Amino acid sequence: MLIFLDTANIEHIRHAARLGVISGVTTNPSLVAREEGVDFKAAIQEICSIVPGPGTVSAEVLSLEAEGMIEEARQLSSWAPNIAVKIPVSEAGLEAISVLSREKVKTNFTLCFSVNQALLGAIVGATYVSPFVGRLDDIGHQGMEVVADAVQIFRHYNLSTQVIAASLRHPLHVIAAAKAGAHVATVPYNVLMQMIRHPLTDIGISRFAEDWKKVSNK
Ligand code: G3P
């Protein structure tokens, strides 16, 4: 399972890339709006240059009509070779991805909340589908079931679309995504940091250091 970072914060992306654990980034209009005074195109191009791959950097269209989505997607995908264009689930979104997949534009079918939505995304040739696990959990559903079922169905029919477990809120979500066979987990920066830390590791490191001081003071 690849790890993508779910943010538009350049410092967080730089840090995670230095750690060597991320291979892609997902952004959305809300995440971009959180970063004050950024120029969207410049920010996406900078992120694309930081992210090593083999994953991609997702940038979302704003149009709601198929034609507008296609036009925006062509623009966005010309900004860097590793861009995946996020297109929300809708009839227009399906129409747009049908056209874009024939043009080899990488796409991420986003705001996916059901297995049927994911299946349709795969049928029209989306590079990724993104079930939003946390938002489903928020309304009392088992969000990760959508991930597991989509993975199983895509494998059954040899569909090349990858499943991104998105809207992950805590480290247990990441483990569940890996167990469900998600191709990618996109994680917020704070969740990535939580995955690294463990209080017993901290205690162990300081105990080793203290014990070593005693030896070196002899
Ligand atoms: O990857 C999707 C993500 O950005 C949405 O997360 O926490 O707003 O549901 P959240």
Side-chain angles (χ1 to χ4, degrees):
M1 182 176 77
L2 298 179
I3 304 238
F4 289 6
L5 205 62
D6 194 26
T7 185
N9 183 287
I10 301 280
E11 288 320 308
H12 289 170
I13 294 166
R14 274 192 206 290
H15 181 216
R18 272 203 311 277
L19 301 181
V21 291
I22 61 159
S23 55
V25 164
T26 49
T27 70
N28 63 36
S30 307
L31 291 172
V32 174
R34 228 178 262 171
E35 306 305 314
E36 269 175 42
V38 293
D39 174 79
F40 182 50
K41 181 175 179 182
I44 293 293
Q45 284 180 321
E46 191 173 359
I47 294 169
C48 286
S49 72
I50 299 167
V51 171
T56 52
V57 175
S58 285
E60 190 153 344
V61 299
L62 294 168
S63 308
L64 299 175
E65 308 300 328
E67 252 180 54
M69 287 174 171
I70 294 165
E71 202 39 56
E72 269 189 75
R74 286 178 181 145
Q75 279 288 326
L76 286 169
S77 64
S78 73
W79 291 356
N82 52 340
I83 286 188
V85 181
K86 258 189 174 180
I87 296 188
V89 172
S90 62
E91 291 164 41
L94 285 168
E95 194 178 327
I97 293 178
S98 299
V99 171
L100 294 164
S101 63
R102 287 196 290 274
E103 296 178 11
K104 307 277 177 249
V105 172
K106 294 188 254 314
T107 51
N108 178 350
F109 203 35
T110 190
L111 286 169
C112 184
F113 293 97
S114 77
V115 182
N116 277 326
Q117 291 178 330
L119 177 58
L120 291 171
I123 287 171
V124 294
T127 314
Y128 308 100
V129 295
S130 290
F132 274 33
V133 174
R135 291 192 196 183
L136 278 167
D137 290 357
D138 287 345
I139 59 159
H141 290 253
Q142 295 282 359
M144 204 57 76
E145 280 179 4
V146 179
V147 172
D149 288 351
V151 167
Q152 190 192 340
I153 292 166
F154 293 1
R155 197 174 294 144
H156 189 77
Y157 289 104
N158 258 331
L159 297 168
S160 61
T161 301
Q162 298 192 25
V163 179
I164 302 183
S167 178
L168 302 184
R169 306 275 175 74
H170 49 72
L172 284 177
H173 266 156
V174 185
I175 295 170
K179 282 180 156 177
H183 303 87
V184 179
T186 188
V187 300
Y189 180 76
N190 69 313
V191 174
L192 181 65
M193 293 304 114
Q194 288 173 319
M195 288 167 68
I196 298 167
R197 292 181 191 130
H198 196 289
L200 290 178
T201 307
D202 299 340
I203 291 168
I205 288 172
S206 57
R207 195 172 293 162
F208 285 154
E210 279 161 29
D211 288 344
W212 192 250
K213 238 187 265 164
K214 289 178 209 155
V215 176
S216 50
N217 284 344
K218 272 185 189 164

